Amino acid sequence: MGSELVNPVSLPTYTEIFNRQFPFYLSIGMTYDQYWNDDCLLTKYYREAQEIRNDRKNQELWLQGLYIYDALTKVAPALHAMKPQRPSPYPEKPYPITKEAIERDKEEREKAQREKAKAVFTAWAARLNLPEEVNANE
Amino acid sequence: MAKQIRFTYDGVDYTLEFTRKSVERMENTGFIISEVFEKPMTLLPTLFAGAFWAHHRFVKRDVIDKIYDSLPNKQDLIGKLAEMYNEPIAALIDEPEADEGNVEWEANW
């Protein structure tokens, strides 16, 4: 009695987790010996290095895209390839690809939106010619 | 740098540390870390012996047991060894820290 209450799902062993993660670390340049026998904290620094590599690659791709965009917008009028209208602007910076960068980007966009809304409201308030002191009871 | 316990016994310097390989090796022999706190008298010497494998794998078990018997503060030792044992798995999840807080183990004999 009671044995049926025992959770049949057992947690993975450390070895199972090590084996599952091993191919990822091989793919970012760790050797067998570094992963299994060296300082166990090396994995943290390999992950951080991989993030830096990803970020650099993202910057390079963004710059390459900018050159292509520039070339296309310069050559398009001569080829009459586009209707006479301005093309959409190229992104000002690379797309965020890490979790932190995505969150930072979201915060920046929200802040920019707030600033924009504040500016619109201030301009609108200025046009209304409100008196300096407004009685709250009115 | 990974957490280590360092001490000198009988004129020999020892550095205790866990690597993923030594944790795998211990699990292959049936060791389960969560049981250490339930059966410390049986499993703490095994955990202690496992910490030798990374840097001193050819030290005989009876020598390790003698060292273990002579170490003071066994209650603190169990916590530190468990922390060291967990580090290889934690390092797959955690972010790098500025201070890794190595343990300096001082023997007073």
Side-chain angles (χ1 to χ4, degrees), chain A residues 1-136:
Chain A
M1 278 288 283
S3 62
E4 67 274 12
L5 296 175
V6 175
N7 187 356
V9 181
S10 60
L11 291 169
T13 63
Y14 285 14
T15 307
E16 283 167 348
I17 296 168
F18 295 157
N19 285 331
R20 207 181 297 153
Q21 296 278 328
F22 185 37
F24 168 73
Y25 287 97
L26 283 178
S27 80
I28 61 172
M30 269 188 111
T31 64
Y32 174 93
D33 212 39
Q34 283 175 325
Y35 184 80
W36 289 103
N37 297 317
D38 249 349
D39 188 327
C40 65
L41 296 183
L42 268 178
T43 49
K44 290 183 180 183
Y45 300 104
Y46 265 88
R47 273 205 313 277
E48 201 177 55
Q50 178 63 13
E51 272 188 24
I52 293 168
R53 265 196 300 273
N54 286 344
D55 196 47
R56 195 183 303 134
K57 179 82 179 168
N58 194 29
Q59 289 274 352
E60 284 169 9
L61 289 172
W62 176 82
L63 185 61
Q64 189 181 45
L66 184 60
Y67 282 126
I68 293 168
Y69 174 88
D70 196 38
L72 281 174
T73 49
K74 278 187 173 126
V75 80
L79 299 174
H80 303 291
M82 291 182 192
K83 287 181 186 172
Q85 62 181 30
R86 290 171 67 84
S88 303
Y90 190 72
E92 285 177 6
K93 55 187 179 183
Y95 295 129
I97 52 171
T98 62
K99 194 179 160 193
E100 291 80 21
I102 289 168
E103 279 171 14
R104 201 168 48 239
D105 187 65
K106 192 182 164 199
E107 277 171 23
E108 279 172 12
R109 271 189 288 121
E110 283 172 356
K111 191 181 170 194
Q113 275 179 344
R114 279 200 303 274
E115 293 292 328
K116 195 177 165 185
K118 191 179 162 191
V120 168
F121 180 78
T122 310
W124 174 75
R127 274 207 308 275
L128 285 181
N129 263 338
L130 290 175
E132 287 290 317
E133 289 178 23
V134 179
N135 191 340

